[in-house]
Amino acid sequence: MKTKVGGSLFASGILFLIFFSALFLGQLEFFNNHLSFYRSEINLKEAQTMRNMAQTHHLHDNQELKFNTGKVRFHEQRYEITLKNGNRYSFEPFK
C-alpha cells in the first residue's frame, strides 16, 4: 500500500531553509558588529598614537603635522586629528 506524502515534505524543507538562513544571517550580523567595533578601536589607537607623536614634536598653535594615515593640528590647546578615512578626533595634551 502506497501512502502519498502531501506538501508536508516540501513545507518542512522550506522551513528548514528559512531556519538556517536566519541562523546564518544572525551570525553575519554578530561578526559584522565585532569587526566594526575592532575597526573603531584601531582608528582610536591610531589617532592616539598620532597625538603622542605630535606632542613629542612640541607643536605650537595652528601648526600641523602630516602622517601617511592622516594629520594632526594643534589648535586652542587641543590636538585635532583627522584620519584619511574621514574620522576626526580631538584630544587634550598630556600634562
Side-chain angles (χ1 to χ4, degrees), residues 5 14 22 27 31 33 35 40 43-44 47 54 56 59 61-63 68 70 75 77-81 85 92-93:
V5 176
I14 294 294
Q27 284 183 335
F31 288 116
N33 286 340
L35 284 176
S40 65
N43 287 337
L44 177 65
T56 58
L59 292 183
D61 208 21
N62 289 326
Q63 278 187 321
N68 62 346
H75 182 67
Q77 300 300 318
R78 295 187 70 77
Y79 290 100
E80 297 173 354
I81 293 104
N85 62 8
E92 291 182 3

Side-chain angles (χ1 to χ4, degrees), residues 12-64:
S12 61
I14 294 294
L15 286 175
F16 180 77
L17 285 175
I18 289 173
F19 173 73
F20 279 107
S21 297
L23 187 66
F24 179 70
L25 289 175
Q27 284 183 335
L28 280 179
E29 183 65 29
F30 177 76
F31 288 116
N32 186 31
N33 286 340
H34 276 285
L35 284 176
S36 63
F37 170 73
Y38 289 138
R39 245 183 252 120
S40 65
E41 282 292 310
I42 287 169
N43 287 337
L44 177 65
K45 297 298 181 188
E46 218 170 58
Q48 287 173 341
T49 303
M50 289 168 62
R51 185 262 325 257
N52 293 344
M53 292 292 290
Q55 191 162 357
T56 58
H57 282 80
H58 303 291
L59 292 183
H60 299 292
D61 208 21
N62 289 326
Q63 278 187 321
E64 191 171 273

